[in-house]
Amino acid sequence: MKLLAFTLISLLSLTGVTGYTQQVIQLYDGKAPGSENWTWSEQERVNNAFKTRTIYNVSQPTLTAYLPRPDLATGTAVIVAPGGAFHLLSIDSEGIDVAKWLNSKGVAAFVLKYRLVRSMTDDPVAELGPKMRDFKKLDEENAPVVEMAVADGKKAIEYVRSHAKELDILPDKIGLMGFSAGGALTLGVGLSYTAANRPDFIAPIYPKTDIFGEIKVPADAPPAWICAAADDQLGLAPHSVVLYNAWIAAKKIAELHMYQKGGHGFGMRKQGLPTDMWYERFGEWMKLQGYLKKLHPSKLEQLYSEEQVANFQRNDWSNLSRYAEDNKKLPIPKADENRVVFLGNSITQGWVRVQPEFFASGRHIGRGISGQTSPQNLLRFRPDVVNLKPKVVVINIGINDIAENTGPYDPDFTMGNIASMVEIAKANKIKVVIASVHPAFEFPWRKEVTDVPNKIIQFNERLKAYAKENGLVYLDYHSAMKDSRNGMSPEIAADGVHPTLAGYKIMAPLAEKAIAEALKK
């Protein structure tokens, strides 16, 4: 168990400061039981007929942890098993993309790489194609590995449950979700568990179920959420109906979503069909089961119902109450004190939590609120900036406008709001630093927003030009943090949007340099 312990320590060293990082966890100490003689190693292929990144030749099963921000955490966890006919894994559309969406709902996600049939070429998709013409023969080839994959699913649940406390997870809220072959794995676990590896709920999505023969529902079977499309090219839609009927006949909780169109393997792909939003229906079901209640609710959330909190937020649209008490406690700065207010959204809010030493002296004051857009920041500019009497304000706003958090994105409208903040700051003799919007390839919580990198680049060009025209300092986070896709790599932003400690360590010296330059103006 030394390897498991070491991996967990590595995981916690990251999650303790970021709250939404990722780390690979080896499920077995040494070779996995039943495949001790396997000598091949995991490989990745991007260019294939499926037009998606695939993983193949998995011989050492792993979990990759994606943990939500602590303020969103619900204590619920979902282990996600991608599909691929037990020959490969559709790791993005049926794995990582799902995990990121779950994180946006406060759910911890663990993407499972389970053992697969060995591919004899470097193109497992092309190799699998002819085999798909004869399911009986394919099932016979897969059978020994299916047993191992189901064992990997059970081991994954055991691991997450035994480390629930360290992972900030509730041990009785651990679910298993799988797609296609991963859905079969999910069902296999849901039919043959022990107390240690019983999933608290299962979500088999377009699964193949006949490989287990007649479905015999356990006496304490977990709730099941089942999803498929009637036009499944592999003819698997009836399998989901059979599974649903078996659960209902056993008087167990079950919900079935059978879409008219969507085909097999829709996952998180966008096709302009209702299947594009299947995960929202899953989220509604999780909420109905009580799996989306916040683990660490705020004082407001503790005192009032969800509906009342929503009403308060609607009435206080810009959340003026968020820092009201904190602002009252701040002393009036001394004449020679160079107080700096950082105004922004979740990136600024997270900075205070992830790198508290940057704000510990009291000279730097974080005033970020998750999800906010430029008009919300403008409304609270006076109470959260001007009234604090800083020498400098660092404005880092715009990414949520582009994400359309509070309405359609209009760059002129966003620039106008920022210009109004600058005018208010200048009228109060506050120096201004305009920070670029951070790189992002996509928004996990709003995947329908397209062309994100280019929208950010174009808006940053406007910010830079505005800063130059008005004698302001432009703080360029984007150039320092972008990757080859003009997003952010997992090392500095696990979910592609919110920086990790490594990301904030890049930002801190850039901010200090910009502040020093502003003070000289």
Side-chain angles (χ1 to χ4, degrees), residues 275-289:
T275 48
D276 291 356
M277 302 301 288
W278 67 265
Y279 47 85
E280 294 293 352
R281 308 290 78 78
F282 178 60
E284 291 165 356
W285 182 81
M286 283 198 296
K287 183 177 180 180
L288 180 66
Q289 306 305 315

Side-chain angles (χ1 to χ4, degrees), residues 60-384:
Q60 290 293 107
T62 63
L63 285 176
T64 303
Y66 292 80
L67 304 182
R69 300 197 327 253
D71 61 310
L72 294 180
T74 60
T76 299
V78 175
I79 295 163
V80 183
F86 293 103
H87 278 59
L88 53 92
L89 301 176
S90 179
I91 197 67
D92 292 322
S93 176
E94 297 178 347
I96 295 171
D97 292 345
V98 179
K100 290 180 178 179
W101 178 82
L102 287 166
N103 282 177
S104 74
K105 296 297 181 181
V107 176
F110 299 83
V111 177
L112 173 63
K113 291 181 182 177
Y114 51 90
R115 282 172 285 181
L116 302 171
V117 173
R118 184 183 184 186
S119 294
M120 306 309 293
T121 70
D122 62 358
D123 192 344
V125 174
E127 192 175 335
L128 176 62
K131 297 181 181 181
M132 298 289 285
R133 299 174 192 144
D134 188 342
F135 271 119
K136 183 178 179 181
K137 190 173 180 181
L138 179 61
D139 289 346
E140 290 174 353
E141 180 184 9
N142 286 346
V145 174
V146 170
E147 185 176 343
M148 295 179 191
V150 170
D152 296 341
K154 294 176 181 177
K155 188 71 173 178
I157 293 173
E158 290 174 9
Y159 181 90
V160 174
R161 182 163 286 138
S162 64
H163 293 91
K165 185 176 181 180
E166 299 96 315
L167 295 167
D168 205 22
I169 289 168
L170 297 173
D172 60 349
K173 289 188 177 181
I174 300 172
L176 180 59
M177 164 187 280
F179 300 79
S180 192
L185 178 158
T186 298
L187 177 59
V189 174
L191 295 172
S192 61
Y193 47 79
T194 64
N197 53 44
R198 176 186 179 275
D200 295 299
F201 59 93
I202 60 172
I205 299 176
Y206 41 83
K208 192 174 192 300
T209 64
D210 60 358
I211 58 177
F212 300 109
E214 181 184 357
I215 295 176
K216 297 181 180 180
V217 182
D220 62 342
W225 189 87
I226 308 159
C227 182
D231 64 344
D232 188 303
Q233 302 95 318
L234 304 183
L236 298 184
H239 292 225
S240 292
V241 177
V242 169
L243 175 57
Y244 172 78
N245 286 337
W247 242 248
I248 292 299
K251 301 187 185 312
K252 302 302 175 185
I253 295 172
E255 184 167 305
L256 172 63
H257 289 259
M258 184 62 70
Y259 290 93
Q260 179 185 346
K261 291 185 177 181
H264 187 81
F266 48 81
M268 299 293 280
R269 291 188 296 119
K270 297 300 180 186
Q271 303 180 86
L273 295 170
T275 48
D276 291 356
M277 302 301 288
W278 67 265
Y279 47 85
E280 294 293 352
R281 308 290 78 78
F282 178 60
E284 291 165 356
W285 182 81
M286 283 198 296
K287 183 177 180 180
L288 180 66
Q289 306 305 315
Y291 292 133
L292 297 186
K293 294 179 180 178
K294 283 192 176 182
L295 192 60
H296 309 292
S298 66
K299 290 182 180 179
L300 191 66
E301 291 164 329
Q302 291 175 37
L303 293 171
Y304 299 97
S305 69
E306 185 176 343
E307 183 178 355
Q308 286 174 315
V309 171
N311 285 333
F312 291 151
Q313 291 173 339
R314 280 193 291 271
N315 293 331
D316 183 11
W317 184 66
S318 59
N319 207 348
L320 296 174
S321 60
R322 171 64 178 84
Y323 291 108
E325 291 302 317
D326 292 334
N327 290 344
K328 288 179 183 177
K329 295 175 184 177
L330 283 175
I332 297 173
K334 298 175 182 178
D336 60 348
E337 182 180 342
N338 292 328
R339 176 177 287 178
V340 181
V341 173
F342 288 76
L343 182 72
N345 43 56
S346 58
I347 293 176
T348 301
Q349 184 178 354
W351 198 349
V352 178
R353 183 185 68 253
V354 175
Q355 197 182 23
E357 62 273 18
F358 187 71
F359 298 86
S361 68
R363 175 183 170 229
H364 295 162
I365 298 170
R367 288 297 180 262
I369 296 181
S370 178
Q372 286 209 338
T373 55
S374 62
Q376 292 170 306
N377 278 269
L378 175 57
L379 283 173
R380 63 185 184 88
F381 195 83
R382 185 166 295 279
D384 284 348

